Amino acid sequence: MDGTTPDGRGAVRPDRTALTKAFAASLTGTALEWYDFAVYSASAALIFPIIFFPESDPLTGTLLAFSTYAVGYVARPIGGFVFGRLGDVIGRKQLLVITLLLIGVTTFLIGLLPGYATIGVAAPIILVALRFAQGVAVGGEWGGAVLLSSEYGNPRKRGFWSSAAQIGPPAGNLMANGALAALTFALTEEQFESWGWRVAFLLSAVLVGFGLWIRLELEDTPVFKALQESGDRPEAPIAEVFREQSRPLIAAILSRIAPDVIYALFTVFSITYGVQKLGFVRSEVL
């Protein structure tokens, strides 16, 4: 099966079942990855200054926690370059299995990471390294998820089918904030700071297992299979993009700056401001 079937007129149309599976795999995968990414973001605002930077004053601790948050964004383009190229070599399906495993393992390890009080300065150093790995995985996931759903779809409707990857991030944000809100509501402040916040990170193992079950059921996309059969693949696609498509590339990058800044303000800064300046408790802000 290659995910396509004849339409009775000699043309080829996507197999509906394969297309639906690809849409679901793209949506659930990005939702799970952004759950992991978002649970870190909220924790950087709420708990990491206490757990990993306790020697600093509150303001410095918050800034240091946000610096680890920023590392994830620095790493995302690297993930896009590395996994984008890898996806052309090993296929979209295998790529998305790798990125899902990578972010799942790193998020789970953050949930197990001892704090500053236990292992000293090694704690924030390891935290930064794990956050970097998270960012690399998310950078690779995004492009791969878009390709997975769009390359199964009718070329005339690829915008719609590609939207699966765009639905995932807000769904992941809702799940992450919901999990942390439930924990802050159910536990005392001492319990949440001691071990409760870790539960949200450890839950990623269950979510990633679900995502892998969906993705491993898929075959690779018809477009990738056609490229494999034809052998018509560029030798240096990244260099080709910079050489021949630099202007639209820069325009696309610049078009993302304002939306991403606004996203960070809503999902991270507002949590810190609400707790530290407006006097809300964590569960209310979340």
Side-chain angles (χ1 to χ4, degrees), residues 12 65 107 119 214 236:
V12 174
T107 304
I119 60 174
I214 292 177

Side-chain angles (χ1 to χ4, degrees), residues 65-243:
F66 279 164
S67 69
T68 67
Y69 168 72
V71 166
Y73 281 91
V74 174
R76 280 172 66 175
I78 298 173
F81 285 129
V82 173
F83 285 112
R85 184 68 180 115
L86 188 61
D88 287 338
V89 176
I90 66 173
R92 321 309 190 203
K93 172 186 172 178
Q94 297 302 324
L95 162 70
L96 292 175
V97 168
I98 292 171
T99 57
L100 193 61
L101 279 172
L102 178 58
I103 198 168
V105 169
T106 54
T107 304
F108 189 81
L109 290 176
I110 291 173
L112 298 176
L113 181 62
Y116 187 93
T118 304
I119 60 174
V121 72
I125 292 174
I126 296 172
L127 180 68
V128 171
L130 292 172
R131 175 60 172 178
F132 183 85
Q134 262 196 339
V136 170
V138 169
E141 164 72 22
W142 180 254
V146 171
L147 286 176
L148 181 70
S149 55
S150 68
E151 288 184 351
Y152 264 104
N154 186 320
R156 295 182 179 181
K157 296 182 179 179
R158 278 188 177 160
F160 170 76
W161 294 108
S162 299
S163 69
Q166 188 68 19
I167 300 170
N173 278 314
L174 289 171
M175 289 193 296
N177 282 293
L180 287 170
L183 289 166
T184 57
F185 183 80
L187 304 174
T188 65
E189 187 169 342
E190 291 75 19
Q191 289 173 327
F192 181 78
E193 291 182 4
S194 175
W195 57 268
W197 66 272
R198 298 180 182 274
V199 174
F201 285 83
L202 299 178
L203 278 174
S204 67
V206 178
L207 298 174
V208 168
F210 176 72
L212 285 174
W213 172 67
I214 292 177
R215 288 188 171 178
L216 289 173
E217 290 293 311
L218 277 175
E219 295 186 22
D220 226 317
T221 70
V223 172
F224 176 73
K225 289 181 177 181
L227 286 173
Q228 275 189 316
E229 292 172 2
S230 67
D232 184 21
R233 288 185 291 183
E235 293 297 323
I238 295 174
E240 185 175 314
V241 168
F242 278 99
R243 185 174 61 252

